[in-house]
Amino acid sequence: MSDDLISDQDYEALAAFRHAMRRFAAFSEMEAKASGLTPRQHQALLAIKGTPSAPNGLAISQIAEHLLIQHNSAVELVDRLAEAGLVRRQSDPADGRRILVTLTERSETVLRGLSAAHLRELRGIRSTLLALLRRF
Amino acid sequence: MSDDLISDQDYEALAAFRHAMRRFAAFSEMEAKASGLTPRQHQALLAIKGTPSAPNGLAISQIAEHLLIQHNSAVELVDRLAEAGLVRRQSDPADGRRILVTLTERSETVLRGLSAAHLRELRGIRSTLLALLRRF
DNA sequence: CGTATATATGTCGTATCACGATATATGTGG
DNA sequence: CCACATATATCGTGATACGACATATATACG
């Protein structure tokens, strides 16, 4: 483990890349918060909206997979989203165990604004991120 | 706010990009945890090591800036790192208010292993990330 | 000089939330 | 129709980032 050869430039590249990712994450947190969402809630909405292969909504287990969180955490996340009126739960007619989670009009609107802001931000930092990535 | 024009492809690109970032973050969490670190602790160590312009260590406020967290959170983060024997606090001879945080031998070793794993991972997902970024 | 102000670090109580362990419901295969 | 897998739900716990506040040091400027 201790015979890895890591140069100072490697460390610098890693630090710079993580800093850039953290900057984007912090931007996203701010935007989400300004819209009354937590980052996780935002990502859940985006996963539902951005999965065209699932037009009837995402199952809770799919949300967990997409966000790489535990299933029970996804349940709780959906609890909070539903309580805030941002998603609806509908049981899957094809499989009674599954709950399909869909957006509401309100979350569609919120997500639209958030996505516009994120697109702007990403277009602004795109070249920086590309340059940082190419250092690896 | 509600007249933003966002296409389905935009949503899909955003969701895919965030999923990739989350994947990397989850990978990093796992690796850090396997080394006995939290993600924040890892990033703090990396910031200290990867800032060549500060060879005597980073001040707590600089760590806060780099990680984009509040100053008091940085203090607490350094508390936990110091307690784990992963950093040392030294007051800055040039400014008695500042505390310079430096790595220990142990954290140098841990960070070396973590960095090697992250370099491998990043080289593996680099082309994927580049492709996702170019969609914006 | 000395006082006001700014900056850096530190302390403490609080709230959030992801998790592990566990429970219940539904589907599936022999 | 029974064993097992899968999906969702519940609950207690721990970790930690934060806001509000406190203290120490530096700097500006009369």
Side-chain angles (χ1 to χ4, degrees), chain B residues 1-2 4 16 37 65-66 83 88 101 119 124 134:
Chain B
M1 284 299 184
S2 58
D4 301 306
L37 297 182
E65 280 166 28
H66 199 280
E83 187 163 8
R88 261 188 298 271
V101 181
L119 284 174
R134 283 196 263 262

Side-chain angles (χ1 to χ4, degrees), chain B residues 17 33 36 39 48 52 87 90-91 95 97 99 101 107 127:
Chain B
F17 178 66
K33 185 173 186 179
I48 295 168
V87 300
Q90 314 175 231
S91 61
D95 185 339
R97 294 170 301 181
I99 298 286
V101 181
S107 57
S127 62

Side-chain angles (χ1 to χ4, degrees), chain B residues 69-114:
Chain B
I69 58 178
Q70 300 302 312
H71 299 139
N72 47 351
S73 302
V75 170
E76 293 168 315
L77 182 57
V78 171
D79 282 347
R80 295 188 291 268
L81 282 167
E83 187 163 8
L86 293 164
V87 300
R88 261 188 298 271
R89 276 177 157 105
Q90 314 175 231
S91 61
D92 185 346
D95 185 339
R97 294 170 301 181
R98 303 182 111 205
I99 298 286
L100 295 178
V101 181
T102 56
L103 301 187
T104 61
E105 286 210 14
R106 195 162 133 250
S107 57
E108 290 268 7
T109 304
V110 170
L111 184 59
R112 196 179 308 126
L114 274 176

